[in-house]
Amino acid sequence: MVLKGINASDGVGLGCAVCVREESLDYSDVPYSGKEAEKARLQNAIDEFNQRTAAMADRIREQTGPKEAEILTGQITMLADPFMLSQMQEAIDGGSCAEGAADAVCTMYADMFAGVDDELMRQRATDVRDIRSRLLSILMGVTGIDLSALPAGTILVAHDLTPSMTVGLNRENVAGIITETGGRTSHSAILARALQLPAVLSIAKALELIKDGDGLIVDGGAGVVVLSPDARTRSEYLAKQKDYQEKTAALEVYRDKSTADADGKYYHLYANIGSAAEAETAAQSGAEGIGLFRTEFLFMDRTSLPDETVQYEAYYAVSKTMAGKEVIIRTLDVGGDKAIDYLGLEKEENPFLGHRAIRYCLDRPELYKVQLRALLRAGAEEQNIKIMLPLVTCVEEVRAARELLDQCKKELAEAGVPYDKDIALGAMIETPAAALIADLLAQECDFFSIGTNDLTQYTMAVDRGNAKVAKLYSPFQPAVLRSIRSVISAGKRAGIPVGMCGEAAADPGLIPLLMCWGLDEFSVSSASVLATRAQIHRWHEKDFRRITEEALGMSTASGVEGYLKASVNQS
Ligand code: PEP
Ligand code: MG
């Protein structure tokens, strides 16, 4: 059976399904076995919880550091609170099974902590919720899949790919990824590309159609999944896989080349990363800098805020890895499709239009200043860090962020802490509002980077992760192209560099247009660095000018895309 989804990460993978299902923690059918038996079940579960949590803490202490491990040991301490235990026992005396008792008491504490107007207390709410679900899983015998011990040739099938899943993943044994949700620029797609694994997203009901052990082929470039392929189909795809591998190997000649077009004009070619560890991959990929470090990944998959030291260490590590090269670090881009439980963001009707990114950060200056201080300090030695603001819509936001940055500089200077006093501050241009006032923003910013993932979403009024409207979500839409062109031109008039860190920067069809309009910097996933350099190398100015003029004369996205793809294949 052939299933069509969204082509999220190139490559062809063949293997067998391992399905990651969210297990139900519904205990309504669990019988009550009497006071003593339920209390014994509860105590056994708590003992098991403590053992597993201590083992996890040890692992995290080795892999990440003592601070992260403390979060887990803190949970053991919380659960050791005699008052909490006696409340659970009382619930059992009142006729609850162990599951009901653990659920009721943990939920009561979580609600209580969540209602307190104090950051630390709210973080405790997240901890108690975590304790609740892990205790219930133990009581109900629900075991998750160990992603660090997957068999070779695994095709991972999940509702969504989350950063926590990727943390422990033994990548070598994974041949491909399939999810039920997400679009080309969703975070699942970005993670899959960072892992350099073929991925097809938005396969409706994948977890119903696919069973553990089913034979699968994932063609990430075409957005196609083949379920239970026959021998002939397998050999066809093995040939396609070989072809892909050969093409990738042929790009190696570009690794040590500079990024210049056929007339010798240079461009900057940077990489997008989501963690300090990925900076190593970026450096090896031939990237000449980092054009986007998505710092929200540092805030996800934790139960509390990363403090200034944790943040400083991550930014400093990237700065050092890329010494002598630029590192553009985006401040916390939370909200929209990026939920972080412990921040206590309220549920919103329209999260993409809501309290997110720079809006959220400016309303939480104490939280934001921790990040700004960490960035200023991390840039002190190499002086290669630039700070980038997400989702800017008006000049006031840049001014307010600059004001906080100045406060941080003053505080650091007073405390005698070294920092980069000339750190650059730039804006992402990813909303129609920012694009329309790019000339005004250019007076306030040291640089721009165009975020086409969101710029396309907001310009076209189309949710970037919604498969039903995916056909409208295209950077080839004339509206999006006009917007990009005018932003680059506003930046050039003001004399500030303009980059692009949205996925469109790696699109072979768009590259000649971006070159024609004078884009200074292309920032792409590490996996796309060499292919992007190869594309830039092939164009002469006279050709990209002609093609751009022709494309701009067209009135539909499909017309533009078809024309550009044909031109790229011909030249
Ligand atoms: C963008 O919107 O283009 C972008 C690069 O940011 P993100 O994908 O993280 O929203
Ligand atoms: Mg964005």
Side-chain angles (χ1 to χ4, degrees):
M1 189 193 316
V2 175
L3 307 168
K4 187 86 185 84
I6 290 176
N7 54 336
S9 179
D10 276 357
V12 177
L14 291 91
C16 291
V18 172
C19 299
V20 183
R21 295 192 165 82
E22 271 181 28
E23 304 283 351
S24 153
L25 293 177
D26 176 4
Y27 55 84
S28 48
D29 291 337
V30 175
Y32 179 67
S33 338
K35 286 183 199 176
E36 292 319 311
E38 292 298 338
K39 282 182 191 167
R41 287 184 63 228
L42 178 66
Q43 192 53 55
N44 287 341
I46 292 175
D47 292 345
E48 176 76 31
F49 174 94
N50 289 341
Q51 241 177 44
R52 286 193 199 176
T53 310
M56 267 161 68
D58 285 345
R59 242 190 0 248
I60 288 182
R61 192 173 295 111
E62 271 169 35
Q63 284 171 5
T64 321
K67 284 226 171 324
E68 283 70 17
E70 268 168 32
I71 297 168
L72 288 168
T73 46
Q75 291 188 355
I76 300 178
T77 316
M78 261 187 194
L79 197 53
D81 177 39
F83 201 55
M84 202 167 175
L85 180 63
S86 69
Q87 281 174 315
M88 289 185 194
Q89 287 169 336
E90 269 170 38
I92 291 178
D93 287 337
S96 282
C97 61
E99 288 85 347
D103 182 14
V105 173
C106 289
T107 305
M108 181 193 79
Y109 274 93
D111 290 348
M112 188 180 83
F113 288 136
V116 179
D117 196 15
D118 174 274
E119 190 67 49
L120 260 174
M121 285 297 176
R122 281 208 298 270
Q123 286 164 29
R124 286 211 185 154
T126 312
D127 275 320
V128 187
R129 281 195 202 104
D130 197 29
I131 294 176
R132 174 194 164 275
S133 57
R134 289 181 27 231
L135 258 185
L136 284 179
S137 308
I138 294 170
L139 280 163
M140 299 173 70
V142 171
T143 45
I145 290 168
D146 183 359
L147 294 176
S148 62
L150 292 166
T154 292
I155 305 272
L156 212 55
V157 187
H159 179 67
D160 201 358
L161 183 69
T162 64
S164 64
M165 286 164 74
T166 64
V167 172
L169 199 71
N170 63 335
R171 194 212 156 282
E172 294 69 36
N173 284 358
V174 181
I177 294 170
I178 299 169
T179 67
E180 292 185 321
T181 59
R184 254 195 79 72
T185 63
S186 66
H187 286 87
S188 314
I190 288 162
L191 289 167
R193 281 195 289 273
L195 291 166
Q196 308 197 357
L197 287 171
V200 177
L201 309 190
S202 271
I203 297 275
K205 302 203 168 83
L207 286 166
E208 282 175 35
L209 296 166
I210 303 170
K211 305 274 168 292
D212 280 310
D214 279 349
L216 283 171
I217 296 172
V218 176
D219 182 346
V224 163
V225 168
V226 188
L227 176 56
S228 309
D230 56 24
R232 220 181 92 207
T233 314
R234 277 181 59 81
S235 64
E236 267 169 33
Y237 275 94
L238 279 171
K240 192 164 181 190
Q241 184 183 54
K242 192 160 162 267
D243 188 45
Y244 177 79
Q245 284 162 350
E246 280 167 7
K247 283 206 176 102
T248 310
L251 291 173
E252 280 302 313
V253 295
Y254 291 98
R255 186 173 297 281
D256 297 318
K257 289 209 165 121
S258 51
T259 307
D261 64 20
D263 299 318
K265 178 176 181 237
Y266 289 101
Y267 301 81
H268 295 295
L269 178 55
Y270 292 175
N272 296 344
I273 59 169
S275 68
E278 267 181 57
E280 300 280 348
T281 320
Q284 285 157 18
S285 76
E288 299 151 14
I290 301 296
L292 167 66
F293 177 1
R294 292 182 162 94
T295 60
E296 56 277 7
F297 288 127
L298 194 67
F299 288 68
M300 289 171 164
D301 286 323
R302 308 171 45 99
T303 52
S304 64
L305 278 171
D307 65 14
E308 189 175 319
T309 312
V310 170
Q311 291 194 49
Y312 164 80
E313 280 166 3
Y315 310 148
Y316 179 76
V318 179
S319 164
K320 277 295 190 194
T321 305
M322 303 305 287
K325 296 174 174 155
E326 265 182 4
V327 173
I328 302 179
I329 304 188
R330 175 174 77 187
T331 62
L332 180 61
D333 187 11
V334 64
D337 61 342
K338 301 161 195 163
I340 299 178
D341 283 349
Y342 62 80
L343 290 180
L345 296 169
E346 277 169 31
K347 264 218 156 340
E348 295 176 303
E349 289 272 330
N350 284 308
F352 278 112
L353 304 183
H355 195 216
R356 55 170 299 205
I358 185 82
R359 304 165 179 184
Y360 174 83
C361 289
L362 291 175
D363 286 345
R364 303 282 307 275
E366 286 319 309
L367 175 151
Y368 202 27
K369 280 174 72 180
V370 172
Q371 182 168 40
L372 296 176
R373 268 198 305 271
L375 287 165
L376 282 163
R377 287 175 49 209
E381 257 174 59
E382 297 297 332
Q383 311 238 323
N384 60 347
I385 290 182
K386 290 172 144 189
I387 300 177
M388 180 157 76
L389 310 174
L391 207 82
V392 167
T393 52
C394 58
V395 162
E396 291 89 323
E397 287 165 340
V398 181
R399 288 189 185 156
R402 201 178 279 283
E403 162 92 36
L404 288 179
L405 193 64
D406 288 343
Q407 278 178 27
C408 292
K409 287 183 186 173
K410 194 158 164 269
E411 286 160 16
L412 290 170
E414 277 166 10
V417 178
Y419 67 95
D420 180 1
K421 58 183 191 344
D422 298 319
I423 207 157
L425 183 69
M428 281 195 77
I429 306 295
E430 52 181 348
T431 63
L436 287 165
I437 58 158
D439 57 332
L440 305 178
L441 287 170
Q443 304 306 317
E444 314 277 333
C445 294
D446 301 313
F447 66 94
F448 283 162
S449 185
I450 306 176
T452 46
N453 305 342
D454 275 318
L455 187 62
T456 307
Q457 150 164 280
Y458 292 119
T459 302
M460 296 306 298
V462 58
D463 179 342
R464 64 195 255 187
N466 185 338
K468 287 206 188 83
V469 285
K471 67 173 185 301
L472 281 172
Y473 183 81
S474 163
F476 294 100
Q477 286 285 354
V480 180
L481 292 180
R482 287 183 187 192
S483 183
I484 295 172
R485 181 182 57 170
S486 81
V487 171
I488 300 175
S489 123
K492 298 211 93 54
R493 279 198 306 275
I496 61 167
V498 183
M500 178 177 286
C501 57
E503 300 300 317
D507 194 308
L510 279 178
I511 288 173
L513 273 60
L514 300 173
M515 293 167 78
C516 180
W517 295 330
L519 190 78
D520 298 293
E521 168 232 313
F522 294 71
S523 191
V524 303
S525 68
S526 294
S528 303
V529 166
L530 297 187
T532 306
R533 184 171 291 143
Q535 284 296 332
I536 291 176
H537 262 257
R538 52 189 285 197
W539 291 105
H540 280 287
E541 183 176 344
K542 66 173 186 0
D543 295 324
F544 63 59
R545 287 212 175 283
R546 175 179 47 80
I547 284 173
T548 304
E549 208 171 298
E550 193 76 25
L552 283 186
M554 298 180 170
S555 50
T556 64
S558 58
V560 174
E561 187 175 4
Y563 168 72
L564 289 175
K565 290 221 159 112
S567 309
V568 170
N569 290 336
Q570 259 168 32
S571 73

